[in-house]
Amino acid sequence: MSKRLTGILTPIIAVLLGIIVGTIIMLASGYNPVDAYTALWNGAFGETYYIGEVIRQFTPYILAGLAVAFAFRVGLFNIGVEGQFIVGWLASVWVGVSFDLPRVIHLPLAILAAMVAGALWAFIPGFLKARFRVHEVIVTIMMNYVALHTTNYIIRNVLAAKSGDKTEQIHESASLRSEFLQSITDYSRLHWGIVIAIVCCIIMWFLLERTTRGFELRAVGFNQHAAHYAGMSVNKNIILSMLISGAFAGLAGAMEGLGTFGYAAVKGGFTGVGFEGIAVALLGANTSLGVFFSAILFGILEVGALNMPLEAGVPNELVSIIIALIVFFVASSYIIRIFLDRFSKKEVK
Amino acid sequence: MSLMDILMIVVPSTLLWAAPLVFTALGGIFSERSGVVNIGLEGLMVIGAFSSIVFNLTFVDTFGSATPWIALIVAMAAGAVFSLFHAVASITFRADHTVSGVAINLLATGLTLFLVKLIYDKGETGIISQGFRKIDIPILKDIPVIGKIFFQNTYWTSFLAIIVAIIVWYIVFKTPFGLRLRSVGEHPMAADTMGINVTKMRYLGVILSGALGGIGGAVYAQSITSNFSHSTISGQGFMALAAMIFGKWHPLGALGAALFFGFAQSISIIGSSLPFLKEIPNVYLLIAPYVLTILALTGFIGRADAPKAVGTHYIKGSR
């Protein structure tokens, strides 16, 4: 079986296995899986409103997925997307409430602020990795918590209106909201962010596959020593990849700050978008097209799940279990590949 | 408020918050010393917290005041079984250890909340009636000064944690088992040549981390939150991971780090009632454990080096 075919089959098998195990869990706990999956389908596609919500949901997933995938391609594991996402969210809202500017300047400025904030947050682990060889996984995990507590502190003490727990609504001139998109989707919260997300997919593909810089980045990801020997600066590329990855993550935060919510609120815990990004990137094999499609899948699952308790009486956490299982099976793809190899060898005989 | 009064509030509270971190960080040491990265500590604590609370609520009439202790053992078993997911994925299926750990965390949260809704038909469990209670340790509490600070209004679990840390130190550094465990984490091929079963040792390391992580979660749930919901364990596992690193993968170092992080956590909660400390915004105390861990890794506070082979797969016959 060709390598390319195996590469496409492995994630599909992982998704199927996740759904099968999810079905078994439902049967074991006395729920009707057919009702549950019907409810999920209706919750995602039943009305135009739900379709709008699905698109809104997967917009930040695409960007978070790109953030994880980009770092992965350079050989770095950015678990800190969640933290970069949170600081990006706050930065975009901060600019959104603080200035009064015409839309052509204000909106790009707010988006840029989110990207810069995310990139700066990711710069720290990137720099520590390049300069001190500190493993980025631990640093990014720690940075997530620093981001959570620091942004909560800033919202509570600097931005919140009268000892509240959230900021004011951003000014209309910084908003990504679109009456047009809302009206064609029966007044869902769909916003222009999806356009930005698609453009970013193309940018990542172009940057990695069609530029010299992208070639260097990938070379560092394949083999640092070879890249170094070929005269490329490993450290520079490590830092650069974290900056770009963080900018994607910050942009994902802007989707929530400028699009979906229009404000930032004190958070009791993580939003989960960053971790969803890891799942999205893994399932999408770290390519921009793969990320795009797997983000759509996770968006459908998450939004459709909300309908499961209403229509079928199944707790929506079932979808979290399925997503976790998909990650588990994609990670264990070694064993799936072995089965595929055996299967194809038998056919030849 | 005299210094004595302050210490009598701060020390027991530190011990209370540190205990779950100590257990879980020790679990992390077993896993990482054997060469398996364990980001899944958070998920293992979730499983421990969930199983102990459910057991406690269900069997409290049967076992009475012994319930929390039996629930601790149940949580230990549940954590050990759940950690097998991580072991199978990262050792046998050669999955990336970090990714598998992320999957463990996602799965633990999803599964426990699903089961809570299935069993109780609502988003969180009820409050347990028999948790770990504040006690005065007999005899020791009568020691002048020290007795009042350390042995009054405290919890048995905190002292159990300290004792377990010493036991783990003995096991890891003074027994043949510990030597084997460390050797498969440092150089699995050399260990294999000497006839040590690398796969078996790594499985044991991960299962022990599951058992201790389960205990950590159970201690947290039964002495601090008293119920189980989506926010019961929020970052405790990662803080334990930080304690393990800050303690340089050494059981007693991890104990010290966990005590310090417990101190920071308890101060961020009770600090507003204490003089001096209420001037410090608690955001500094909340982020202190994480910032210190980054500094420790960077080498500003003595270099922290992980076991050599941590995060790698051992494939027989490959070089």
Side-chain angles (χ1 to χ4, degrees):
Chain A
M1 199 173 289
S2 78
K3 213 174 170 186
R4 197 187 168 87
L5 188 59
T6 329
I8 297 170
L9 270 180
T10 320
I12 292 174
I13 290 174
V15 171
L16 289 178
L17 282 174
I19 291 173
I20 289 169
V21 178
T23 312
I24 294 171
I25 291 174
M26 275 193 275
L27 287 172
S29 34
Y31 294 119
N32 184 343
V34 179
D35 285 356
Y37 288 126
T38 315
L40 195 149
W41 180 268
N42 291 339
F45 302 109
E47 291 168 28
T48 47
Y49 172 81
Y50 290 133
I51 296 175
E53 281 293 298
V54 167
I55 299 173
R56 178 196 62 74
Q57 185 81 15
F58 72 62
T59 304
Y61 290 174
I62 292 177
L63 291 162
L66 290 179
V68 178
F70 195 90
F72 250 130
R73 293 289 284 276
V74 193
L76 298 166
F77 195 164
N78 183 4
I79 295 204
V81 170
E82 180 75 35
Q84 294 140 23
F85 169 84
I86 296 175
V87 294
W89 183 339
L90 180 70
S92 68
V93 170
W94 204 334
V95 172
V97 296
S98 310
F99 298 102
D100 262 318
L101 295 164
R103 188 167 193 176
V104 276
I105 304 170
H106 201 181
L107 180 57
L109 191 68
I111 292 173
L112 192 70
M115 291 173 73
V116 170
L120 280 178
W121 213 253
F123 169 77
I124 298 172
F127 174 74
L128 294 180
K129 169 97 180 178
R131 175 75 180 72
F132 298 103
R133 297 285 133 196
V134 183
H135 206 291
E136 75 281 1
V137 167
I138 306 292
V139 180
T140 49
I141 289 175
M142 300 301 139
M143 292 295 289
N144 282 345
Y145 285 94
V146 177
L148 180 67
H149 294 304
T150 314
T151 52
N152 278 351
Y153 177 79
I154 293 174
I155 292 169
R156 224 177 248 136
N157 293 293
V158 184
L159 290 174
K162 288 172 218 124
S163 72
D165 272 350
K166 61 179 198 181
T167 65
E168 285 170 42
Q169 203 73 19
I170 54 165
H171 298 157
E172 202 48 48
S173 54
S175 177
L176 277 169
R177 285 197 187 163
S178 144
E179 272 177 31
F180 166 68
L181 288 177
Q182 290 183 343
S183 66
I184 58 166
T185 55
D186 200 14
Y187 297 95
S188 71
R189 289 175 290 171
L190 185 59
H191 53 82
W192 286 120
I194 181 65
V195 179
I196 297 177
I198 292 171
V199 169
C200 283
C201 281
I202 298 166
I203 290 176
M204 162 152 153
W205 169 81
F206 186 81
L207 184 65
L208 278 179
E209 310 289 342
R210 289 287 178 273
T211 63
T212 323
R213 173 61 59 195
F215 179 77
E216 278 198 21
L217 288 165
R218 281 186 297 139
V220 170
F222 282 127
N223 189 333
Q224 289 195 3
H225 302 292
H228 179 70
Y229 190 67
M232 300 167 188
S233 166
V234 173
N235 287 347
K236 206 171 99 186
N237 282 308
I238 285 177
I239 294 176
L240 181 70
S241 76
M242 282 306 280
L243 283 175
I244 296 173
S245 169
F248 279 138
L251 206 46
M255 297 300 113
E256 305 291 60
L258 305 176
T260 308
F261 295 100
Y263 60 83
V266 169
K267 294 173 193 63
F270 289 134
T271 59
V273 173
F275 300 107
E276 206 91 20
I278 297 173
V280 166
L282 278 172
L283 189 65
N286 303 320
T287 61
S288 46
L289 195 64
V291 163
F292 181 72
F293 284 118
S294 51
I296 292 177
L297 174 71
F298 285 126
I300 292 169
L301 286 175
E302 291 280 357
V303 172
L306 299 176
N307 193 34
M308 282 167 50
L310 306 174
E311 237 183 80
V314 180
N316 54 333
E317 278 77 18
L318 185 83
V319 162
S320 319
I321 298 177
I322 292 178
I323 288 176
L325 289 167
I326 292 174
V327 175
F328 181 81
F329 287 120
V330 175
S332 309
S333 58
Y334 162 75
I335 213 79
I336 296 179
R337 253 179 281 127
I338 285 187
F339 275 112
L340 282 177
D341 281 353
R342 290 229 176 114
F343 187 66
S344 59
K345 268 176 202 155
K346 265 182 201 155
E347 273 186 352
V348 175
K349 278 175 192 171
Chain B
M1 200 181 256
S2 71
L3 183 66
M4 189 69 188
D5 292 331
I6 295 172
L7 285 176
M8 279 173 64
I9 297 170
V10 171
V11 173
S13 161
T14 297
L15 288 172
L16 167 69
W17 285 89
L21 299 179
V22 175
F23 283 114
T24 313
L26 292 171
I29 287 175
F30 273 118
S31 172
E32 303 232 339
R33 281 282 179 181
S34 77
V36 181
V37 175
N38 202 342
I39 305 277
L41 289 175
E42 174 95 358
L44 297 168
M45 281 186 89
V46 170
I47 293 291
F50 166 78
S51 50
S52 69
I53 293 290
V54 171
F55 180 88
N56 195 317
L57 287 169
T58 317
F59 292 101
V60 71
D61 295 334
T62 322
F63 296 113
S65 61
T67 319
W69 294 100
I70 301 170
L72 207 60
I73 295 167
V74 171
M76 182 177 87
V81 170
F82 196 71
S83 68
L84 280 172
F85 274 107
H86 186 49
V88 170
S90 56
I91 303 167
T92 308
F93 291 175
R94 296 181 200 169
D96 184 301
H97 297 182
T98 310
V99 176
S100 163
V102 170
I104 291 290
N105 290 338
L106 292 173
L107 189 59
T109 326
L111 192 63
T112 51
L113 287 176
F114 179 79
L115 290 173
V116 164
K117 283 192 181 163
L118 182 68
I119 301 170
Y120 300 99
D121 220 10
K122 53 184 178 175
E124 57 181 32
T125 68
I127 305 279
I128 54 168
S129 55
Q130 284 279 356
F132 290 116
R133 294 237 174 83
K134 278 185 182 173
I135 42 107
D136 296 340
I137 307 250
I139 307 169
L140 292 175
K141 75 171 168 22
D142 299 324
I143 304 172
V145 188
I146 296 175
K148 268 192 174 171
I149 297 171
F150 289 98
F151 301 113
Q152 284 189 4
N153 276 329
T154 185
Y155 293 82
W156 279 118
T157 44
S158 306
F159 293 94
L160 184 67
I162 294 169
I163 294 165
V164 170
I166 295 167
I167 295 173
V168 170
W169 166 77
Y170 185 81
I171 292 174
V172 171
F173 287 100
K174 301 290 170 194
T175 63
F177 170 79
L179 184 64
R180 285 173 197 155
L181 188 82
R182 282 182 290 137
S183 69
V184 300
E186 293 289 335
H187 202 311
M189 200 201 283
D192 194 18
T193 325
M194 298 305 287
I196 298 167
N197 187 335
V198 176
T199 309
K200 193 179 114 192
M201 291 310 291
R202 289 193 164 177
Y203 263 86
L204 281 174
V206 174
I207 290 169
L208 283 170
S209 82
L212 285 164
I215 294 178
V219 168
Y220 190 83
Q222 293 187 96
S223 57
I224 295 174
T225 59
S226 298
N227 76 340
F228 183 82
S229 70
H230 69 98
S231 61
T232 299
I233 303 291
S234 54
Q236 304 300 320
F238 287 111
M239 200 180 273
L241 187 78
M244 177 194 74
I245 296 163
F246 195 51
K248 297 175 188 170
W249 287 268
H250 190 290
L252 300 181
L255 171 67
L259 284 170
F260 177 69
F261 293 173
F263 171 73
Q265 267 190 302
S266 67
I267 290 292
S268 72
I269 290 157
I270 61 171
S272 54
S273 62
L274 300 173
F276 316 117
L277 288 167
K278 65 182 164 207
E279 311 295 330
I280 308 172
N282 75 4
V283 63
Y284 293 113
L285 295 160
L286 286 170
I287 65 173
Y290 309 111
V291 174
L292 283 170
T293 302
I294 294 173
L295 291 178
L297 277 168
T298 314
F300 290 128
I301 318 175
R303 179 131 190 124
D305 281 316
K308 282 257 161 40
V310 81
T312 59
H313 301 117
Y314 177 62
I315 301 160
K316 253 186 196 298
S318 71
R319 278 195 252 189

